[in-house]
Amino acid sequence: MIQCLKMVKLKTGSLWFLAAFLFLSTVPTVAEVLHAFSLCEGFLLQGNPPQIPGIVNGRNIQNQNRYKPICQTYNNVRRYLTLYDTRNRIPVFSAYVYRGDGGGARPQGELWKIEPQLDDEKKDENKKNMVDVEARRIYPNQAGEKDYAEGPQYNRGHFFPSTHAFNQDDKISTFTLTNVAPQITAFNGESWGRMERCVKCVMQRYCADNNGRREAFLVVGAQPGNNKLNGRVNIPSQLWSAFCCYSAENKWIASAFWGNNVADRDPNQHMQTRTLQKLIDDLKITAFPPTKKDLPSVCPLDTTVANLYPNFANQNNCDCPT
């Protein structure tokens, strides 16, 4: 066919252009244009990232110099997705899939990790795995160990909590400073932690298809605040969480949660269970957008899972409100 094209070229330039166009249109391209989340879209429901005003529109990141998508990789396996704010040095959100509880305790004695590509001047594409943080190093584009050294009133609040991870390697992978933000201890360890345990009970019980395969999609994010920990790491004003899954018993179920990053006032305080529509109305965040704008999301916008909580009232470590 190439020989034919050369013959056409000798005869006339216009025919050569047409033939070349037809030829090139049939050749597979070596590379394809990928949106920012393509490599890790398996952690997003239907491959669609949450819509966050000024940050994510459609599948596009508005300021790619500031906001960096990270395929959080440990031991050469992609574990979850984080969109990281290199200016505030906290995540915008982490997105992950709950696959059940495969066992394993919370990692003890593990060094915290960082993402090498955020501060790798050479941008080595082979550096895909998260690496241990260097205790004394100041990282220009992400938080380091020193940033959290003098903030005892704050926890390193996980976005993807280790308690929602499937196996031990997944749990270890959540202990990266690109998956945490400063969270008031009496919020993270109280109502926020109760919410995480309650949602896990719901997902463990209801987020399974007709074949028993367990799968739920979650997105956890932060609203930046006006203060910084040690002058470098933004202290969020609010944290939010949303989940959605298919349930063989209830079709699709979903709920959202958010709260101010302040100490709980009351003992045994629980976070309010809200709808995904309320998350849109109040925080302007669409956690699980539809595949196309003119189609509804598979996730119910106007219902919550609060009606399921009485089922866990007598179960240990569920912590659902009654």
Side-chain angles (χ1 to χ4, degrees):
M1 184 173 181
I2 294 176
Q3 291 179 343
C4 294
L5 289 173
K6 288 181 178 178
M7 292 174 63
V8 172
K9 181 181 179 182
L10 291 174
K11 292 182 179 180
T12 170
S14 59
L15 288 177
W16 155 247
F17 178 82
L18 176 61
F21 174 81
L22 293 173
F23 171 70
L24 292 173
S25 66
T26 64
V27 178
T29 56
V30 175
E32 60 179 336
V33 177
L34 302 174
H35 70 79
F37 301 101
S38 291
L39 294 179
C40 250
E41 65 181 8
F43 300 107
L44 300 168
L45 182 59
Q46 298 180 317
N48 296 319
Q51 302 298 284
I52 304 175
I55 300 177
V56 182
N57 183 17
R59 295 189 172 190
N60 300 313
I61 298 171
Q62 299 299 283
N63 184 344
Q64 297 183 26
N65 292 322
R66 175 176 177 176
Y67 303 107
K68 303 292 185 180
I70 303 172
C71 276
Q72 299 279 18
T73 304
Y74 178 71
N75 276 350
N76 297 314
V77 176
R78 293 169 179 162
R79 310 284 173 173
Y80 56 102
L81 165 68
T82 297
L83 182 62
Y84 195 76
D85 182 345
T86 59
R87 185 180 301 172
N88 282 326
R89 300 183 182 91
I90 60 171
V92 177
F93 66 80
S94 283
Y96 60 98
V97 178
Y98 180 79
R99 297 183 291 131
D101 189 347
R106 178 185 174 94
Q108 300 293 330
E110 287 284 340
L111 288 176
W112 282 85
K113 318 289 184 184
I114 55 94
E115 172 53 49
Q117 292 194 82
L118 289 181
D119 288 295
D120 179 12
E121 295 179 358
K122 296 181 180 179
K123 302 298 180 185
D124 187 348
E125 290 299 320
N126 294 319
K127 293 184 178 180
K128 298 298 185 183
N129 286 291
M130 58 182 68
V131 298
D132 292 344
V133 65
E134 298 176 31
R136 297 183 179 181
R137 182 176 174 184
I138 300 297
Y139 297 91
N141 297 315
Q142 61 190 305
E145 190 70 39
K146 291 186 67 174
D147 295 318
Y148 284 90
E150 298 178 5
Q153 72 273 34
Y154 295 100
N155 286 157
R156 304 176 194 201
H158 283 67
F159 286 49
F160 178 9
S162 65
T163 54
H164 287 188
F166 177 69
N167 57 34
Q168 198 66 17
D169 276 359
D170 287 347
K171 293 179 188 297
I172 292 172
S173 76
T174 68
F175 284 83
T176 172
L177 294 174
T178 55
N179 180 50
V180 301
Q183 193 170 2
I184 289 288
T185 301
F187 174 47
N188 181 39
E190 300 294 337
S191 60
W192 184 266
R194 294 187 188 96
M195 176 273 294
E196 291 177 335
R197 291 189 289 274
C198 180
V199 168
K200 180 178 179 179
C201 284
V202 173
M203 296 188 299
Q204 188 71 18
R205 173 65 177 81
Y206 290 99
C207 293
D209 61 20
N210 293 319
N211 296 317
R213 185 175 71 101
R214 187 165 284 105
E215 181 181 78
F217 291 84
L218 297 98
V219 185
V220 180
Q223 299 280 74
N226 296 321
N227 299 312
K228 292 184 178 181
L229 181 63
N230 290 324
R232 276 181 38 92
V233 180
N234 186 276
I235 300 172
S237 60
Q238 291 181 315
L239 290 104
W240 57 271
S241 175
F243 86 96
C244 178
C245 74
Y246 175 77
S247 169
E249 298 181 44
N250 299 279
K251 297 184 178 180
W252 287 88
I253 59 175
S255 284
F257 310 83
W258 63 91
N260 294 328
N261 189 17
V262 297
D264 287 355
R265 294 182 178 179
D266 303 318
N268 300 316
Q269 183 174 324
H270 286 83
M271 298 187 69
Q272 183 178 352
T273 306
R274 296 179 169 100
T275 66
L276 296 182
Q277 185 61 54
K278 188 68 172 173
L279 182 65
I280 296 172
D281 295 341
D282 287 13
L283 272 62
K284 313 305 179 186
I285 294 170
T286 305
F288 305 105
T291 303
K292 295 183 179 180
K293 290 184 178 181
D294 57 343
L295 295 176
S297 171
V298 296
C299 301
L301 295 179
D302 297 314
T303 61
T304 74
V305 295
N307 63 304
L308 302 177
Y309 294 163
N311 299 342
F312 309 114
N314 298 319
Q315 295 186 25
N316 294 330
N317 205 36
C318 276
D319 264 343
C320 292
T322 57

